[in-house]
Amino acid sequence: MSRYIAKWWAVAIPGLALPALVLSWGRQLPTFVVIVLAVLLAGAVLAAVHHAEVIAHRVGEPFGSLVLAVAVTVIEVALIVSLMISGGEQTASLARDTVFAAVMITCNGIVGLSLLTGTLRRRIAVFNAEGTGGALATVATLSTLSLVLPTFTTSARGPAFSGPQLVFAAVVSLALYGLFVLTQTVRHRDYFLPVTTGGEPAGEEGHARRPTGRNALASLAMLLVGLVSVVGLAKVESPVIETAVTVAGLPQAVVGVVIALLVLLPETLAAVRAAGRDHIQVSLNLALGSAMASIGLTIPAIAVASIWLEGPLLLGLGGTHVVLLGLTIAVSTLTVVPGRATLLQSGVHLVLFAAYLFLAVSP
């Protein structure tokens, strides 16, 4: 049977994870139950990756990458807003920390792992510079407008936007993301398709049987169930993470980093698996598309939610994170421009990702 047809475990695990999430939500859990939920969380991640691949093979690229990126981000945004509503002023910087973590994880962690996988398999990883460059330019613009400018504006106290500035950032973010989706899926779809080492469009991988429309719809439903389970179980596990962070004497920002890593696990695994099939372009579509969706959907959602949210909304990054973001954009530009990368580029991105994690733990 084709690996693109839904497997029994990919249906069973989300089917178990979702009821477990409902039963455990908002309750004090014993250690054994926490461990069981962690196992279900890992299984839900693997199931989400499988269903995303079924959908991607049915609809083709770049629509397949877009499905997973948007699905994860929509649920992530819902989680951020719900936490900010219930958390009060203590969560004033939650949106900023989560979005920045998503940018660093995708642009350095996922990109670095994908390039590492691709270059170990084939000495050179090849991708389409036109499409990837456009995606990177959009990510750089959105990141700077939403996360850097609030640090330097003077209309509001602290690293925050005033009301009109927040509305402008929200509208621009949504407009840029919509323009990118139009470019990726309609006007210049060929810029985001996998290419061979010779720069020619890559054909369908192997001779895998294309899933039927019924299988694809079933996988779409299970993908949504799996993603809800991943994000929800990550939230359920977060008190344990918070306790561990407090006991270890680490900054509270580490909690956001850990949760962001859990939420982005499906995209990470999907990107690495695509790189293992020499489809580096798919990996980059997932990485940069996820970063873009995280900003382009989160900022407008937070702008709307700020109508009833109490307390300040801190969006501006500190000096250390501004430097890391600037270095990430510069390095990513140098990686993308040639349209091919080596083991060196993967190492540079992974070092930047390691630096981000280290500075999150030891600011």
Side-chain angles (χ1 to χ4, degrees):
M1 178 179 292
S2 168
R3 63 189 178 86
Y4 288 112
I5 306 302
K7 300 177 181 178
W8 68 267
W9 61 266
V11 176
I13 293 179
L16 292 173
L18 191 58
L21 170 62
V22 173
L23 293 174
S24 60
W25 189 264
R27 299 185 180 183
Q28 290 290 111
L29 304 174
T31 303
F32 173 74
V33 175
V34 171
I35 295 174
V36 171
L37 292 179
V39 173
L40 287 175
L41 172 60
V45 168
L46 296 176
V49 172
H50 172 77
H51 291 297
E53 289 187 332
V54 173
I55 297 168
H57 191 54
R58 172 65 187 180
V59 303
E61 285 298 323
F63 298 100
S65 301
L66 189 63
V67 168
L68 183 57
V70 173
V72 169
T73 305
V74 167
I75 299 174
E76 181 183 352
V77 168
L79 179 60
I80 293 172
V81 173
S82 65
L83 289 173
M84 292 188 70
I85 291 174
S86 61
E89 293 189 2
Q90 294 182 348
T91 59
S93 64
L94 178 63
R96 176 196 66 191
D97 296 338
T98 304
V99 170
F100 182 64
V103 171
M104 298 303 290
I105 291 168
T106 53
C107 292
N108 286 319
I110 298 180
V111 169
L113 286 173
S114 299
L115 293 180
L116 176 64
T117 304
T119 54
L120 288 178
R121 179 182 175 87
R122 309 272 187 180
R123 295 172 64 88
I124 296 178
V126 180
F127 48 88
N128 195 317
E130 288 91 343
T132 308
L136 178 61
T138 309
V139 171
T141 302
L142 289 174
S143 300
T144 303
L145 290 177
S146 303
L147 301 177
V148 177
L149 280 185
T151 303
F152 300 99
T153 54
T154 58
S155 296
R157 294 184 59 185
F161 276 141
S162 65
Q165 289 171 341
L166 182 60
V167 171
F168 173 80
V171 172
V172 169
S173 297
L174 198 58
L176 271 181
Y177 182 66
L179 181 59
F180 173 79
V181 171
L182 175 66
T183 301
Q184 184 186 38
T185 58
V186 180
R187 294 185 65 88
H188 298 285
R189 181 170 175 259
D190 54 315
Y191 286 178
F192 300 90
L193 299 179
V195 294
T196 64
T197 54
E200 299 296 325
E204 292 294 331
E205 50 186 285
H207 298 283
R209 179 159 58 94
R210 190 166 179 246
T212 64
R214 183 177 179 180
N215 284 325
L217 288 175
S219 285
L220 177 60
M222 295 310 299
L223 172 63
L224 294 177
V225 171
L227 290 174
V228 170
S229 300
V230 169
V231 177
L233 289 175
K235 174 64 173 68
V236 171
E237 296 282 313
S238 63
V240 179
I241 299 172
E242 290 175 354
T243 302
V245 167
T246 302
V247 171
L250 299 174
Q252 282 300 309
V254 173
V255 177
V257 176
V258 173
I259 293 176
L261 287 170
L262 290 173
V263 170
L264 287 169
L265 260 179
E267 289 159 307
T268 303
L269 293 178
V272 171
R273 291 178 67 170
R277 299 192 295 270
D278 292 333
H279 285 184
I280 301 297
Q281 185 63 54
V282 176
S283 303
L284 298 180
N285 288 348
L286 279 167
L288 297 178
S290 299
M292 203 180 310
S294 181
I295 305 171
L297 297 179
T298 299
I299 299 303
I302 294 301
V304 173
S306 65
I307 297 174
W308 65 83
L309 287 175
E310 297 181 359
L313 178 61
L314 305 180
L315 290 176
L317 296 172
T320 301
H321 287 166
V322 169
V323 171
L324 280 177
L325 179 60
L327 185 56
T328 295
I329 293 172
V331 168
S332 298
T333 302
L334 295 175
T335 297
V336 166
V337 167
R340 53 182 57 218
T342 66
L343 188 63
L344 176 61
Q345 279 82 14
S346 70
V348 172
H349 282 280
L350 289 175
V351 165
L352 279 175
F353 181 56
Y356 164 69
L357 293 179
F358 176 75
L359 291 173
V361 173
S362 180

